[in-house]
């Protein structure tokens, strides 16, 4: 199972790298726009397009990871997305906050602990992928901030999550 998840993760990473490399920009500008673009580029040497592309790639990835009932084990699709996030965070390090959540079933104390286990599971996976642990903050909200209000299985599924911010 681990090798299957690793293959999926590597495949996703290769696809993301290809997508980032294939991004295009418009090449049609009038001469006034071109002149101002050249002069402003010369004036501001601090512009880094690599960081911008990495930020856009991270924004395109899922930043919410869902869990099964009463579990804190990452699903294969979450691992694949987190592998891509890890690559981007290693290339352009920035602080992230992992917010763990639970559905309303269970006591407040239990759900706070479950949200914490979920957030730490995501953090641990990112650290194993090479992300600096000091750049990751974890917090648990338990059942306090549901994504969907309701007492249906569909609502519960949406509330069992970790959000990356």
């Amino acid at each position: 199972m681990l090798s299957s998840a690793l293959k999926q993760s590597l495949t996703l990473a290769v696809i993301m790298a290809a997508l980032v490399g294939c991004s295009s920009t418009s090449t049609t500008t009038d001469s006034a726009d071109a002149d101002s673009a050249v002069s402003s580029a010369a004036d501001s040497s601090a512009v880094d397009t690599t960081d911008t592309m990495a930020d856009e790639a991270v924004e395109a990835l899922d930043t919410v990871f869902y869990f099964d009932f009463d579990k804190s084990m990452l699903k294969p699709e979450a691992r694949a997305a987190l592998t891509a996030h890890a690559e981007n965070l290693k290339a352009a390090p920035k602080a992230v906050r992992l917010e763990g959540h639970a559905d309303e079933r269970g006591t407040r104390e239990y759900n706070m602990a479950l949200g914490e286990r979920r957030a730490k599971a995501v953090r641990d996976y990112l650290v194993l992928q090479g992300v600096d642990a000091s750049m990751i903050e974890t917090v648990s909200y338990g059942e306090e901030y549901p994504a969907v209000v309701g007492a249906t299985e569909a609502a519960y599924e949406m509330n069992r999550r970790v959000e990356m911010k």
Side-chain angles (χ1 to χ4, degrees):
M1 179 169 165
L2 181 61
S3 65
S4 174
L6 183 59
K7 286 179 187 176
Q8 288 177 344
S9 299
L10 290 174
T11 302
L12 181 64
V14 169
I15 290 171
M16 290 304 299
L19 289 175
V20 169
C22 293
S23 66
S24 63
T25 58
S26 174
T27 58
T28 59
T29 59
D30 62 3
S31 62
D33 288 343
D35 291 341
S36 66
V38 168
S39 65
S40 66
D43 291 342
S44 63
S45 61
V47 175
D48 188 357
T49 57
T50 305
D51 288 342
T52 303
M53 289 189 333
D55 289 343
E56 289 172 359
V58 170
E59 288 175 10
L61 296 173
D62 290 338
T63 56
V64 180
F65 310 100
Y66 297 98
F67 293 81
D68 290 329
F69 173 70
D70 200 28
K71 303 284 186 217
S72 59
M73 187 166 53
L74 292 169
K75 293 181 176 184
E77 58 270 15
R79 280 190 230 115
L82 284 168
T83 300
H85 275 292
E87 292 302 318
N88 289 320
L89 290 170
K90 288 189 298 186
K94 68 176 189 176
V96 295
R97 179 182 174 119
L98 302 173
E99 299 177 349
H101 299 270
D103 62 36
E104 64 187 44
R105 296 175 286 185
T107 65
R108 286 184 187 271
E109 295 81 13
Y110 182 82
N111 287 335
M112 288 295 286
L114 181 58
E116 183 175 346
R117 286 194 309 270
R118 289 174 174 165
K120 286 183 177 181
V122 172
R123 181 204 59 204
D124 292 346
Y125 189 84
L126 290 171
V127 170
L128 285 172
Q129 300 303 310
V131 177
D132 183 5
S134 67
M135 301 296 286
I136 303 171
E137 175 188 7
T138 60
V139 65
S140 175
Y141 290 116
E143 63 189 66
E144 299 302 316
Y145 298 104
V148 177
V149 177
T152 65
E153 187 56 39
Y156 294 151
E157 286 177 7
M158 298 301 291
N159 292 331
R160 298 187 302 253
R161 70 195 190 281
V162 168
E163 295 182 15
M164 181 183 288
K165 297 186 176 186

